[in-house]
């Protein structure tokens, strides 16, 4: 007999790893113990040399599906003579890091029990097991045990406790385990007109005066009837065109009938969400296929444990005459106005499964907030903040500890591409290409903010926080940094921030009193991509986006850099255009277009007549005077603003209801069969200038000739990609570098990304793109952290 002490690191808590080790040991005849600790899972194993080899090998090869095993370290220790194998009490240790699983969509086994009238959890809205359910949204500290989660408010009944102790049961040591008798329950708050069915249940309403307290165990059948009545009342709200606030995993969501145009319009008006696409939750994959084209890869994402929102092509976009089969009602036109794609997700919690199954219609499922605010998580908070939006509130009494939006992904040429990384993916760390001996906090940008904590070989990139433009989002930002620092035992010694002096995240960073590193926005963008590929440079970095503060104090956004992790040289950029009124030109692209025409001496071009006729004389005179006299008119090399200008010139959009809308709609109308292109022209100066005037003139030529706007859009998209390739080919020849990292919000455009990657590859360069992070500003904090690590010695 021999003995080994085994240490397993990775995501091994909250994923059924200890029960797996327990059953593995009994199968192999190994004795000893297993326990959670602050730095992973430890096991003492005794048995024959053959059994111990099989045991340590299986710890990786046969691990549970949601586990991510980073390392298994085993060393020989003295035998202690154990006669059995047990799960020991967890051991907490200050200052030691462990990884925590994100929340996991309801597994097939729990779905089957949820639908089985003979099961005691039949239609229980909070069913879960070791393979699914809440994780990071309920955890307060590690090791991951019930007492350190918000489930501690719900003592288990005898049947649940027996399952919890039974090694052969799927709920063996499942921390959120519960049932109708002992677990969380539903509540419905609604106006008298909105919920007639709920009136029969005196205890169906949650009020701020009644906080969650441990209750005596309840009668199962009465609880099921109560729960079903509340769900029936919630469905009535939806069927009558009402708006329902639903408490999900990471916060409240706002739901309405996605086939009811009046309900969708009412939701938009109350939420102040003008124009921006709304996500839809479909009852099933089968119904999703009726409305959208779904590839095998997209179906796998929809049904994956992460269950993100997946951007799918609407069938009506590919074939305007196609309609849903099986007498399904068409989707409301204003769900994604002017777009070919729709964000779709499947029910990922038992509450969603029951609600969608009973309603049997697609539901809008959007974040529970007013636009630009963080989502509501607490019942009292939701009743206060969402009272002007929702007609009824479907709530529960399980506390949400961490706020999480839904993740958004799409399938591209290289696989899964992130648009927003949140529920189901964070807080999985991004593998760090470096091992840092100091803890680093990177505070991220202003828009689509995330933060990154770099410690040892882990980069904890937070879930999406949002745009840092109000006190509520800033408070959420501060709390998230505190939570991540505590849970992952990270104590920042160095802080990285964006160079823009007015960003709230930058002000926070510089007021911490820590050594700090300012990181240029576009440098962070390209380093984020390069670091994911462990490309240390020098490499060519292309960062095309809307806004970034340049070291020269101007607004950058169409940049080609020669970069390493610790520095860069600006070797090419888009020619600068005026931004009349600053942010006002972002909100009204017509201002951007007028300024571009003036700067390019194209105001008298015949093709501009249609555009100019849409503008009032006072506005034209005012804007042109601002440009001429440089009054509140900064100049920018922003690619995003160039897209805005072209979108307005061709009549797609003169006013933007949300950030990026003109470019999104310009992409949506592009005729992908069009083979023509325009040509920017790239100068030989240092830095080289990618000249926009020739393209603007070509657009006007086509407008004057009566060319279809769809063809003009495609020619413009091709021109942007070809200009990027031309600039990179020149940079490669001048500097002997062949790797090109592409990043920035413009590369969320499928056409620009695909044609750029294709062109670079054809030119025998090596394009690299984001893998686990978005190309937009959601990946910036990771790049900041890597730059700060590279420049750490400068702060000493």
């Amino acid at each position: 007999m021999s003995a080994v002490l085994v240490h397993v690191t990775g995501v091994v808590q909250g994923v059924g790893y200890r029960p797996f080790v327990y059953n593995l040991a009994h199968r192999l005849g190994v004795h000893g113990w297993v326990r959670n600790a602050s730095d992973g899972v430890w096991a003492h194993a005794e048995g024959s040399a053959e059994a111990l080899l099989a045991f340590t090998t299986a710890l990786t090869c046969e691990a549970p599906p949601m586990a991510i095993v980073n390392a298994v370290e085993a060393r020989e220790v003295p035998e202690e003579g154990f006669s059995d194998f047990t799960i020991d009490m967890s051991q907490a240790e200050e200052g030691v890091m462990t990884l925590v699983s994100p929340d996991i969509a309801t597994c097939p086994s729990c779905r089957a029990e949820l639908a089985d009238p003979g099961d005691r959890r039949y239609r229980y809205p909070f069913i879960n097991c070791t393979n699914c359910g809440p994780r990071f949204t309920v955890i307060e500290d590690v090791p991951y045990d019930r007492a350190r989660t918000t489930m501690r408010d719900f003592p288990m009944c005898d049947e649940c406790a027996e399952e919890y102790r039974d090694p052969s049961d799927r709920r063996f040591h499942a921390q959120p385990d519960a049932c109708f008798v002992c677990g969380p329950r539903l509540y419905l708050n609604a106006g008298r007109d909105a919920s007639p069915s709920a009136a029969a249940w005196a205890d169906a309403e949650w009020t701020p005066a009644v906080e969650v307290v441990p209750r005596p165990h309840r009668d199962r059948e009465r609880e099921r009837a109560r729960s079903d009545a509340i769900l029936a009342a919630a469905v009535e709200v939806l069927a009558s065109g009402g708006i329902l606030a639903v408490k999900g995993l990471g916060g409240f969501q706002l739901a309405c009938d996605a086939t009811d145009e009046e309900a969708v319009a009412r939701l938009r008006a109350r939420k102040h969400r003008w124009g921006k696409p709304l996500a839809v939750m479909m009852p099933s994959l089968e119904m999703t296929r009726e409305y959208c084209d779904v590839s095998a890869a997209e179906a796998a994402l929809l049904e994956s444990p992460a269950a993100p929102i997946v951007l799918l092509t609407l069938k009506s976009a590919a074939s305007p005459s196609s309609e849903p089969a099986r007498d399904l009602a068409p989707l409301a036109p204003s769900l994604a106005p002017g777009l070919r794609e729709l964000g779709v997700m499947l029910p990922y919690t038992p509450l969603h499964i029951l609600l969608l199954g009973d309603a049997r219609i697609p539901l809008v499922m959007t974040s529970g907030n007013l636009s630009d605010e963080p989502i509501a998580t607490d019942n009292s908070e939701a009743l206060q903040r969402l009272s002007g939006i929702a007609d009824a509130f479907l709530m529960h009494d399980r506390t949400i500890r961490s706020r999480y939006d839904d993740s958004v992904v799409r399938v591209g040429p290289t696989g899964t591409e992130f648009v927003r990384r949140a529920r189901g993916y964070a807080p999985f760390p991004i593998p760090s290409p470096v091992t840092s001996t100091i803890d680093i906090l990177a505070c991220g940008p202003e828009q689509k903010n995330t933060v990154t904590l770099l410690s040892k070989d882990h980069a904890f990139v937070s879930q999406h926080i949002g745009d840092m433009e109000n006190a509520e989002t800033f408070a959420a930002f501060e709390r998230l940094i505190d939570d991540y620092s505590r849970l992952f035992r990270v104590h920042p010694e160095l802080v990285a921030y964006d160079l823009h002096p007015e960003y709230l995240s930058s002000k926070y960073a510089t007021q911490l009193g820590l050594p700090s590193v300012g990181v240029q926005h576009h440098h962070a963008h390209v380093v984020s991509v390069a670091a994911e590929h462990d490309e240390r440079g020098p490499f060519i970095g292309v960062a095309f986006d809307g806004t970034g503060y340049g070291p020269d104090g101007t607004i950058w956004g169409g940049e080609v850099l020669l970069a390493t992790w610790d520095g860069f040289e600006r070797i090419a950029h888009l020619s600068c255009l005026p931004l009349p009124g600053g942010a006002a030109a972002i909100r009204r692209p017509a201002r951007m277009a007028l300024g571009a025409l003036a700067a390019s001496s194209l105001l008298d071009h015949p093709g501009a007549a249609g555009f100019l006729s849409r503008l009032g004389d006072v506005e034209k005179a005012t804007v042109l005077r601002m440009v001429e006299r440089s009054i509140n008119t900064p100049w920018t090399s922003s690619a995003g603003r160039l897209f805005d200008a072209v979108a307005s010139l061709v009549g797609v959009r003169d006013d933007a209801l949300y950030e990026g809308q003109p470019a999104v709609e310009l992409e949506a109308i592009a005729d992908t069969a069009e083979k023509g292109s325009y040509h920017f022209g790239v100068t030989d100066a240092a830095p080289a200038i990618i000249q926009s005037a020739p393209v603007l003139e070509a657009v006007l030529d086509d407008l004057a000739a009566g060319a279809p706007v769809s063809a003009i859009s495609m020619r413009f998209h091709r021109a942007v990609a070809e200009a990027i390739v031309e600039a990179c080919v020149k940079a490669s020849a001048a500097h002997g570098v062949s790797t090109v990292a592409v990043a920035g919000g413009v590369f969320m455009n499928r056409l620009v990304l695909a044609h750029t990657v294709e062109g670079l590859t054809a030119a025998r360069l090596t394009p690299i793109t984001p893998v686990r992070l978005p190309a937009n500003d959601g990946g910036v904090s990771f790049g900041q952290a890597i730059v700060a690590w590279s420049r750490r010695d400068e702060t000493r």
Side-chain angles (χ1 to χ4, degrees):
M1 298 289 290
S2 303
V4 291
L5 183 65
V6 183
H7 183 207
V8 186
T9 57
V11 181
V12 288
Q13 296 193 22
V15 292
Y17 198 82
R18 286 179 300 170
F20 152 70
V21 175
Y22 176 95
N23 288 305
L24 174 67
H26 279 265
R27 189 182 86 206
L28 296 174
V30 170
H31 298 162
W33 51 259
V34 62
R35 69 167 67 111
N36 273 348
S38 296
D39 58 348
V41 168
W42 289 82
H44 178 96
E46 299 182 356
S48 67
E50 182 180 3
L52 292 182
L53 177 60
F55 177 79
T56 54
T57 301
L59 292 176
T60 299
C61 298
E62 300 178 25
M66 290 307 297
I68 298 179
V69 177
N70 289 344
V72 176
E73 299 175 355
R75 59 182 173 88
E76 291 188 12
V77 293
E79 182 186 353
E80 298 182 28
F82 288 97
S83 58
D84 199 358
F85 196 91
T86 60
I87 294 182
D88 277 9
M89 292 287 291
S90 298
Q91 289 188 345
E93 185 177 345
E94 279 300 316
V96 178
M97 176 198 300
T98 194
L99 304 183
V100 181
S101 166
D103 293 12
I104 307 167
T106 306
C107 70
S109 297
C110 283
R111 285 175 180 265
E113 292 174 347
L114 189 68
D116 181 2
D119 193 274
R120 71 186 184 93
R121 292 188 179 86
Y122 171 57
R123 291 185 62 82
Y124 179 54
F126 307 99
I127 188 172
N128 66 84
C129 68
T130 53
N131 298 319
C132 67
R135 295 294 189 272
F136 198 73
T137 55
V138 298
I139 194 169
E140 294 186 337
D141 207 346
V142 291
Y144 176 66
D145 288 308
R146 193 180 184 100
R148 296 182 181 89
T149 74
T150 61
M151 283 299 296
R152 64 169 175 268
D153 295 324
F154 305 97
M156 285 183 281
C157 65
D158 291 343
E159 286 179 282
C160 285
E162 184 177 348
E163 291 172 332
Y164 185 87
R165 294 190 297 265
D166 182 0
S168 65
D169 196 279
R170 199 174 81 254
R171 294 184 173 86
F172 183 43
H173 279 246
Q175 307 307 336
D177 188 21
C179 70
F180 278 117
V181 173
C182 61
R185 63 198 321 221
L186 291 179
Y187 297 86
L188 185 75
N189 278 48
R192 193 172 299 170
D193 296 335
S195 58
S197 300
W201 296 92
D203 63 347
E205 182 172 340
W206 186 95
T207 64
V210 182
E211 296 294 342
V212 177
V213 293
R215 298 178 185 80
H217 294 160
R218 304 175 289 257
D219 178 78
R220 178 180 299 115
E221 294 310 315
R222 185 178 187 282
E223 284 297 314
R224 182 180 288 118
R226 173 187 178 278
S227 180
D228 283 348
I230 290 173
L231 285 166
V235 170
E236 282 185 21
V237 172
L238 296 166
S240 63
I243 298 168
L244 181 70
V246 182
K247 189 176 184 181
L249 273 178
F252 276 80
Q253 296 163 308
L254 293 166
C256 71
D257 181 352
T259 67
D260 185 339
E261 176 60 26
E262 290 185 3
V264 174
R266 194 159 41 247
L267 173 58
R268 284 193 177 280
R270 293 180 185 178
K271 185 176 162 65
H272 302 157
R273 187 183 176 102
W274 312 111
K276 199 170 186 180
L278 293 166
V280 172
M281 183 176 280
M282 296 281 184
S284 65
L285 181 59
E286 291 70 30
M287 186 179 287
T288 305
R289 293 187 190 279
E290 299 290 351
Y291 290 104
C292 302
D293 294 325
V294 185
S295 69
E298 289 164 340
L301 281 168
L302 287 166
E303 295 186 313
S304 69
I309 296 170
V310 182
L311 298 184
L312 303 175
T313 301
L314 285 160
K315 283 192 171 180
S316 57
S319 175
S321 62
S322 66
E323 294 180 0
R326 296 190 300 150
D327 298 321
L328 294 174
L331 295 173
S334 65
L335 288 174
L339 304 183
R340 301 184 183 192
E341 293 182 321
L342 180 69
V344 176
M345 57 183 151
L346 297 180
Y348 56 84
T349 72
L351 177 55
H352 288 126
I353 294 168
L354 293 171
L355 184 64
L356 273 290
D358 292 353
R360 289 189 266 187
I361 54 174
L363 296 179
V364 170
M365 199 67 69
T366 188
S367 53
N369 58 357
L370 281 170
S371 289
D372 300 326
E373 291 183 359
I375 56 175
T377 56
D378 178 74
N379 291 340
S380 299
E381 174 195 10
L383 289 170
Q384 179 181 3
R385 286 176 53 198
L386 306 180
S387 60
I389 305 176
D391 298 305
F393 292 77
L394 181 60
M395 303 184 290
H396 58 75
D397 51 7
R398 185 179 67 209
T399 300
I400 296 173
R401 186 64 184 82
S402 294
R403 178 182 281 109
Y404 267 76
D405 286 284
D406 293 311
S407 292
V408 184
V409 302
R410 69 186 189 191
V411 175
T414 59
T416 301
E417 297 171 357
F418 282 88
V419 178
R420 181 171 73 197
R421 182 178 179 271
R423 177 191 53 77
Y425 296 100
F428 275 147
I430 302 297
S432 173
V434 302
T435 299
S436 181
T437 57
I438 60 171
D439 290 350
I440 297 172
L441 166 65
C443 292
E446 182 86 344
Q447 294 185 322
K448 298 177 179 64
N449 180 269
T450 63
V451 301
T452 293
L453 288 164
L454 179 64
S455 181
K456 302 182 175 64
D457 57 354
H458 294 304
F460 296 97
V461 182
S462 76
Q463 66 269 30
H464 168 84
I465 298 171
D467 295 347
M468 298 278 288
E469 296 174 346
N470 55 59
E472 293 82 4
T473 306
F474 182 67
F477 163 88
E478 290 184 300
R479 176 172 174 173
L480 186 145
I481 292 173
D482 290 343
D483 286 348
Y484 268 53
S485 298
R486 183 186 70 260
L487 286 170
F488 300 122
R489 309 305 196 245
V490 176
H491 306 286
E493 303 161 74
L494 178 64
V495 61
Y497 61 93
D498 193 282
L499 289 179
H500 198 298
E502 294 304 314
Y503 283 180
L504 289 177
S505 56
S506 299
K507 290 181 177 180
Y508 171 88
T510 55
Q511 292 171 6
L512 288 176
L514 295 172
S516 59
V517 174
V519 183
Q520 200 279 325
H521 184 83
H522 301 99
H523 186 213
H525 258 311
V526 299
V527 170
S528 176
V529 178
E532 279 205 83
H533 294 267
D534 199 11
E535 171 59 60
R536 302 187 180 220
F539 57 89
I540 300 167
V542 180
F544 272 38
D545 62 2
T547 299
Y549 190 81
D552 57 2
T554 64
I555 303 171
W556 289 13
E559 310 307 315
V560 181
L561 311 177
L562 181 65
T564 61
W565 289 357
D566 63 353
F568 70 92
E569 177 188 351
R570 189 188 199 191
I571 55 176
H573 63 84
L574 277 172
S575 55
C576 291
L577 293 173
L579 194 64
I586 299 174
R587 295 189 294 270
R588 181 158 168 74
R591 280 180 168 236
M592 192 69 213
L594 187 57
L597 292 181
S600 306
S601 301
L602 293 170
L603 285 169
D604 295 328
H605 193 294
F611 162 72
L612 293 172
S613 69
R614 300 195 304 271
L615 306 183
D617 291 339
V618 173
E619 180 181 24
K620 281 190 287 189
T622 301
V623 171
L624 292 175
R625 190 179 304 114
M626 292 172 68
V627 173
E628 181 184 358
R629 300 180 183 179
S630 299
I631 300 171
N632 191 24
T633 302
W635 287 66
T636 179
S637 60
S638 167
R641 302 292 76 81
L642 179 61
F643 271 82
D644 289 352
V646 173
S648 181
L649 286 175
V650 301
V652 168
R653 179 151 297 278
D654 290 333
D655 292 281
L657 299 176
Y658 61 89
E659 188 262 332
Q661 183 183 20
V664 169
E665 294 183 357
L666 185 66
E667 177 190 5
I669 66 164
D671 178 4
T672 54
E674 169 62 42
K675 302 302 181 184
S677 181
Y678 304 130
H679 187 250
F680 277 83
V682 181
T683 70
D684 294 325
I689 306 299
I690 304 170
Q691 297 172 312
S692 58
V695 166
L696 292 172
E697 185 172 9
V699 167
L700 296 179
D701 289 343
D702 275 352
L703 286 172
V709 172
S710 59
I712 296 173
S713 172
M714 191 64 227
R715 292 167 186 169
F716 173 71
H717 280 85
R718 287 184 182 278
V720 171
E722 290 168 5
I724 292 170
V725 173
E726 182 180 351
C728 290
V729 168
K730 288 188 173 184
S732 176
H735 301 283
V737 176
S738 61
T739 299
V740 182
V742 299
V746 168
F747 289 103
M748 299 310 301
N749 183 308
R750 289 182 185 266
L751 298 175
V752 173
L753 178 63
H755 286 285
T756 298
V757 170
E758 180 184 341
L760 291 170
T761 303
R764 299 191 178 183
L765 301 179
T766 304
I768 54 176
T769 59
V771 179
R772 301 172 184 85
L773 295 170
N776 60 35
D777 281 6
V780 165
S781 67
F782 177 56
Q784 289 177 341
I786 297 300
V787 173
W789 178 84
S790 300
R791 295 168 52 189
R792 63 196 181 279
D793 291 339
E794 297 176 16
T795 65
R796 296 177 181 173

